[in-house]
Amino acid sequence: PGASVYIPNPSWGNHKNIFADAGVQVQQYKYFDKDTIGLDFEGMKADLQAAPEGSVVILHACAHNPTGIDPTREQWTEILEICSSKGLLPFFDSAYQGFASG
């Protein structure tokens, strides 16, 4: 109760609607860097580190929708460390398992 859900920016269009319709406050974290056409990992880390304890973080297990960009294994380790140290609850969307690095 009272926790926010953080979705990547951009994200699958229905993520925001699903949580908002359930009365959950939706926030976004940086994901896509349009200049490099890659992952904005520094922005993502900064946004996750700023999220309040108990927040839910939507993570695409692989083949991020809509960008198709996946974190590296090393980046996944850092994401895990942030979630663990900040008390964030990862929630995985694995709709496209096997379509990219997963």
Side-chain angles (χ1 to χ4, degrees), residues 35-51:
D35 294 330
T36 65
I37 310 174
L39 178 62
D40 180 359
F41 191 57
E42 293 306 313
M44 177 185 188
K45 290 191 306 182
D47 287 349
L48 294 181
Q49 288 169 336

Side-chain angles (χ1 to χ4, degrees), residues 23-67:
V24 178
Q25 184 176 10
V26 178
Q27 305 289 338
Q28 292 186 313
Y29 63 86
K30 293 175 188 75
Y31 193 86
F32 182 69
D33 182 336
K34 63 181 177 186
D35 294 330
T36 65
I37 310 174
L39 178 62
D40 180 359
F41 191 57
E42 293 306 313
M44 177 185 188
K45 290 191 306 182
D47 287 349
L48 294 181
Q49 288 169 336
E53 182 177 345
S55 296
V56 176
V57 179
I58 302 298
L59 298 163
H60 296 239
C62 69
H64 174 269
N65 182 1
T67 69

